[in-house]
Amino acid sequence: MIQVLLVDDEPLVLIGMQSMLNWGKLGLEIVGTARNGNDAWAIIQQHRPDIVICDVMMPVMDGLDLAEKCREVDNALPVFIMLTCFEEFNYVKRSLRLGAVEYLVKMDLTPELLERALRRAIENVKKERALRTPETATAPSGLEQYRDRLFIQLYRGLFQDRAYFDGLCSQLGSTLTPLGTPWLRPDSPAGSFPRNSWPPSAPASPTWRRMCCPNTCPAPSPPAT
């Protein structure tokens, strides 16, 4: 069963979400509820839920700070679905940067919308579990997903530990080799990565193509003189 934590400072919202769906039919188990980010963090440490449905605005610690705290420990899990009373662009942007799969407005929340968001979250959880299973590392599709996830994490600036990233590169062998890309600047502080250093040209960068598939992509041409 995939475990879910519900976090909202309004008791009626928590009760409503619990009764809104047949959670077991979706393969989900609610492992707890919390009314602020601080209490939620304690439950996350104890139960390690796969999915957290969390209000953005809460006392003590808000939902975005909770998500950021989780990302400092694990780059992918738990998967977050954010709730709010209104749509606010800055909240949406920060939620996406922290890897939230959905941003739902409470007043518009229906069983269909909640189930759709949960199915997206379930898919992400299953992919992440597969990537963490050693035997899947030999499958080409698993390696492609692994590269994609590393790319997204680099984009979001989630890697703060250089040694950890180098270890991931080593596990992939020649499939992923850091070549001094803009995300791995040699002038960065030791053991860390620069945040918000994404260059506009990066998606088409030959350096990135060499980084993700050096054996199949051509090396970049030397600059014109």
Side-chain angles (χ1 to χ4, degrees), residues 143-144 147 169 172-177 210-215:
L143 288 176
E144 291 171 5
R147 286 197 299 266
C169 294
L172 287 175
S174 61
T175 307
L176 182 60
T177 306
R210 291 181 61 203
M211 190 176 174
C212 65
C213 46
N215 297 326

Side-chain angles (χ1 to χ4, degrees), residues 4-80:
V4 182
L5 172 64
L6 306 180
V7 189
D8 198 293
D9 60 334
E10 299 180 52
L12 289 178
V13 173
L14 293 174
I15 294 171
M17 284 194 293
Q18 290 178 79
S19 61
M20 191 174 283
L21 298 173
N22 184 337
W23 295 83
K25 187 176 180 180
L26 294 172
L28 302 172
E29 176 190 7
I30 297 176
V31 295
T33 62
R35 294 185 59 186
N36 63 66
N38 219 28
D39 292 344
W41 174 242
I43 295 173
I44 289 170
Q45 290 180 297
Q46 180 180 359
H47 292 286
R48 303 293 179 186
D50 303 292
I51 300 171
V52 176
I53 303 177
C54 185
D55 191 10
V56 170
M57 299 299 294
M58 296 183 297
V60 187
M61 181 193 299
D62 67 33
L64 295 174
D65 287 342
L66 173 63
E68 189 158 17
K69 194 174 184 70
C70 289
R71 289 296 166 261
E72 291 173 358
V73 176
D74 191 303
N75 287 330
L77 296 176
V79 175
F80 273 80

Side-chain angles (χ1 to χ4, degrees), residues 34 41 71 81 112 115 150 168 172-173 190 196 222-223:
W41 174 242
R71 289 296 166 261
I81 297 171
E112 292 76 20
E115 181 175 339
L150 291 181
L168 295 178
L172 287 175
N196 303 321

Side-chain angles (χ1 to χ4, degrees), residues 2 18 21 48-49 59 68 71 77 87 99 103 105 108 118 129-130 134 143 146 152 164 170 187 192 215:
I2 291 176
Q18 290 178 79
L21 298 173
R48 303 293 179 186
E68 189 158 17
R71 289 296 166 261
L77 296 176
E87 290 194 47
Y103 187 92
V105 179
D108 300 331
L118 283 166
R129 285 180 175 179
L143 288 176
Y146 203 3
I152 293 169
Y164 173 71
S170 177
D187 60 341
S192 67
N215 297 326

